[in-house]
Amino acid sequence: MARYEQAFKDKAVASLLPPESASLDVVVREEGIGAATLQRWQNDAQSRSARGRAWTAGARFEAIVATTAMPEASERAWCREHGIKEHERDLLRKDRALVETATLLVLSK
């Protein structure tokens, strides 16, 4: 059985939320995890107190920065595996999430 880091779980659950609002099937396919696993992670995240939820502005920003800071060799391997189109779509999704997070941080001040 595979073990996933909490940051990976938080990123997958955050993909289901705005601004991405990706469907469960899309996230399952992109991340290579089972639908039941993702639903369990989502339920676990929703059952946490408001302070512990993964999709607070700061936590979402950290998850996005962590995935964008992926080493180049790992990113190139990911591109070969998933294709350029999916890589471009992923970069666009990250850009949108960064814009939303920056907006939330500015508005919260």
Side-chain angles (χ1 to χ4, degrees), residues 3-108:
R3 290 256 183 215
Y4 298 99
E5 293 182 13
Q6 190 61 44
F8 178 83
K9 293 177 183 180
D10 293 344
K11 179 183 157 288
V13 171
S15 298
L16 299 170
L17 303 169
E20 297 171 48
S21 300
S23 71
L24 185 75
D25 296 332
V26 170
V27 176
V28 164
R29 188 172 3 104
E30 286 180 355
E31 301 297 341
I33 55 178
T37 301
L38 183 56
Q39 287 176 331
R40 187 176 64 249
W41 293 349
Q42 186 178 23
N43 291 338
D44 290 347
Q46 288 174 341
S47 68
R48 288 187 235 154
S49 67
R51 284 187 162 205
R53 287 194 180 148
W55 53 82
T56 62
R60 287 189 75 184
F61 181 72
E62 288 174 14
I64 292 166
V65 168
T67 58
T68 3
M70 187 184 312
E72 284 185 38
S74 159
E75 190 169 342
R76 280 195 302 270
W78 188 92
C79 285
R80 282 193 302 276
E81 184 179 330
H82 292 94
I84 299 299
K85 291 284 185 190
E86 289 190 36
H87 181 63
E88 290 172 349
R89 186 173 46 233
D90 189 49
L91 288 175
L92 180 62
R93 180 178 51 83
K94 288 178 182 179
D95 286 345
R96 287 179 183 157
L98 281 171
V99 167
E100 181 206 10
T101 304
T103 303
L104 289 172
L105 289 173
V106 167
L107 292 175
S108 68

